[in-house]
Amino acid sequence: MAVAFLAGAFASFAMAPFNAFPVLAVSFPVAIWLIDGTALPRPDRPAPGLWRGLAASARIGWCYGFGYFLAGLWWIGNAFLVDADQFAWLLPFAVVLLPAGLAFFTAAGFALARLIWSGGTARILAFAAALGALEWLRGHVLTGFPWNLFGYALAEEIHLAQSLSLIGAYGLTLVALIVFSTPVALTRRGGWRWPALSVAVLIGMATFGVWRLERHPTGFVDNVQLRIMQPDLPQDAKFNPALRNKVLTRYLALSRQLAADGSNGLAKVTHLIWPESAFPFLVAQDPEALKVLGDLVAPKAVLLTGAGRAEENLDDGSWRFFNSLHVIDATGTIIGNYDKVHLVPFGEYLPYQSFLESIGFEQLTKQRGGFTSGPGLRTLDIPNAPAAGILICYEAIFPGEVIDPANRPRWLLNVTNDAWFGLTPGPYQHFAEVRARAIEEGLPLVRAGNNGISAVIDPVGRIVASLPLGTSGVLDSRLPKDLPPTLFAKAGNPIIAGLFLLALLGALLGLQSYRKEPR
């Protein structure tokens, strides 16, 4: 169990910001050898019984997952230090309980693999199919949390990442599980063929990536000039209404910065973009602030900004609050709006909200009653620009669930506030996952973060321009053109299901063959 924990923790170094994906070629074989110990006979003892073996595999899987998630997600505790007087006591619980809960998915994956385990190299496919399937479930059960999917280990290198356009992050997770498990075959005669095949797969993926990148140079939309404002505002100022004027003054000053050539920075800007939850007040209910914002932009330009929004229920006079994006024109009028759909549990709402609030709990945003989820993903019309798909913070981490399928946008806009997590691996991991969505969908992605990483990304994942984490300033860029829908965008779920069924079939055939072997 201790070895499993350490192997899982070691695997976390494959994720951003370390991106040391070869560590998986050590971590996965160790996991497979540990499952061997729950399934296969040894000279000194027979193979464990089925139920005993399943229980042992589940324990090992839980320890592996706990190590992986604890080492990869410890930075979540930083959010509990923003209002330390209220939430610091919860830090150890959050840092430990979330990884402990997520580890049940790896526990189930290891147990499922044990059900179809064989003594041959086909157990590589059993391990990959079972754990990959539970990674998919992790992204969907109880609203889903597909953070640090194993496939992201291959997505940082831009040539390998192009396979996201074919099979998405879940498909790439299956590939990563197979490829980096093959060193386990080296202990058998002729076992070099499996690692050699894995190297060939990686070479094939890289070759496809070179071809795709050369085929799709970055093009730009005519007459669209973006300016992204990154204020690097301290998190404790984001929700302090007393700082209204100070915050607004800072935003205005940054937005009016001179361009790189010394000219008026806003003169040519058609779309000014501010990050998530930009204001410590409800801007839609503040006519004075709306007038100031209207005066900021040019006559035909617009401001796209994250903001809280309140809506009164006419039936009973109660209020609902939304995490939203407003489109504000030069008259100070809100001409478009999008409400966040996929809210963060415990951050923006509490499961069993009324009960937990009655005993003194509240979510980190301290919004009594929590935020209300919007009606659904939708494509938003943007004046003087192609229609956009809006993703507020956390919404961008869900593969295949970022656009309205009935009305495909021409670009994606992600406004976020990762300042909750400071200068930790969290914002780098979030950025890596956002970039993957651009490649999967074949859509350019524009990202505005309170403290970064703000960036403009083209539809094959090239970073056209960016501002680093923990800095303030503005980012001027043109808007890249989109590509036709990728194979993943058109048929993602059937492709992923087909890949998993093939891996499962290979594992079952290997199991059947193993059972026929003489002992």
Side-chain angles (χ1 to χ4, degrees), residues 2 60-61 69 117 217 230 301 360 375 379 388 414 470 501:
I60 290 169
F69 293 117
W117 205 250
Q230 180 172 299
T379 300
N414 175 225
L501 287 174

Side-chain angles (χ1 to χ4, degrees), residues 38-376:
T38 73
L40 304 179
R42 295 196 313 229
D44 60 333
R45 64 157 174 80
L50 177 61
W51 293 111
R52 185 179 176 187
L54 287 175
S57 293
R59 285 196 302 271
I60 290 169
W62 186 89
C63 292
Y64 184 94
F66 185 56
Y68 178 70
F69 293 117
L70 185 66
L73 298 176
W74 61 266
W75 47 266
I76 286 177
N78 199 82
F80 294 84
L81 299 177
V82 173
D83 289 305
D85 58 328
Q86 289 184 268
F87 295 112
W89 68 276
L90 288 169
L91 187 151
F93 298 99
V95 169
V96 172
L97 290 180
L98 178 62
L102 294 174
F104 283 104
F105 287 98
T106 52
F110 276 48
L112 179 60
R114 170 64 176 78
L115 276 176
I116 53 176
W117 205 250
S118 68
T121 49
R123 71 198 199 282
I124 293 171
L125 296 178
F127 177 75
L131 194 54
L134 267 295
E135 284 287 87
W136 184 89
L137 283 176
R138 178 163 70 88
H140 292 82
V141 172
L142 298 176
T143 77
F145 188 68
W147 197 279
N148 281 358
L149 297 171
F150 291 119
Y152 290 126
L154 293 173
E156 179 62 24
E157 204 290 312
I158 193 168
H159 299 92
L160 297 176
Q162 298 311 304
S163 295
L164 289 165
S165 67
L166 303 176
I167 58 177
Y170 293 117
L172 203 60
T173 292
L174 180 64
V175 171
L177 285 163
I178 295 173
V179 164
F180 294 118
S181 295
T182 56
V184 79
L186 292 173
T187 60
R188 295 176 173 268
R189 180 176 295 180
W192 61 268
R193 295 184 182 89
W194 277 75
L197 180 61
S198 292
V199 171
V201 168
L202 293 177
I203 292 173
M205 290 170 59
T207 302
F208 169 71
V210 169
W211 171 82
R212 189 167 189 263
L213 289 167
E214 289 181 350
R215 187 171 178 236
H216 298 298
T218 307
F220 294 97
V221 177
D222 293 334
N223 303 316
V224 175
Q225 183 65 39
L226 309 174
R227 168 164 279 199
I228 301 168
M229 188 273 296
Q230 180 172 299
D232 195 28
L233 193 70
Q235 185 61 23
D236 57 1
K238 293 281 289 184
F239 300 102
N240 187 349
L243 298 179
R244 171 194 183 279
N245 293 337
K246 184 177 180 180
V247 168
L248 195 54
T249 299
R250 179 176 177 80
Y251 289 173
L252 297 174
L254 280 172
S255 299
R256 290 177 174 134
Q257 276 189 4
L258 297 178
D261 60 5
S263 62
N264 180 352
L266 282 174
K268 297 180 181 179
V269 171
T270 58
H271 298 81
L272 177 63
I273 303 171
W274 289 1
E276 178 192 16
S277 303
F279 310 97
F281 58 95
L282 297 173
V283 68
Q285 299 181 9
D286 192 325
E288 181 183 350
L290 285 173
K291 183 180 184 307
V292 170
L293 298 179
D295 292 341
L296 176 66
V297 297
K300 294 185 178 181
V302 293
L303 168 67
L304 297 97
T305 179
R309 187 178 76 84
E311 181 180 279
E312 186 176 9
N313 186 332
L314 298 180
D315 293 330
D316 59 10
S318 63
W319 288 83
R320 299 188 300 167
F321 295 88
F322 300 85
N323 187 352
S324 302
L325 178 128
H326 296 325
V327 182
I328 302 173
D329 68 10
T331 69
T333 302
I334 297 174
I335 59 173
N337 188 75
Y338 168 82
D339 296 324
K340 185 177 183 180
V341 176
H342 217 134
L343 302 175
V344 181
F346 301 99
E348 294 172 312
Y349 77 97
L350 293 175
Y352 308 105
Q353 182 91 32
S354 299
F355 170 73
L356 290 179
E357 284 188 340
S358 70
I359 60 175
F361 283 87
E362 61 182 339
Q363 56 275 354
L364 291 174
T365 52
K366 297 189 291 186
Q367 174 57 56
R368 186 72 179 174
F371 283 99
T372 299
S373 178

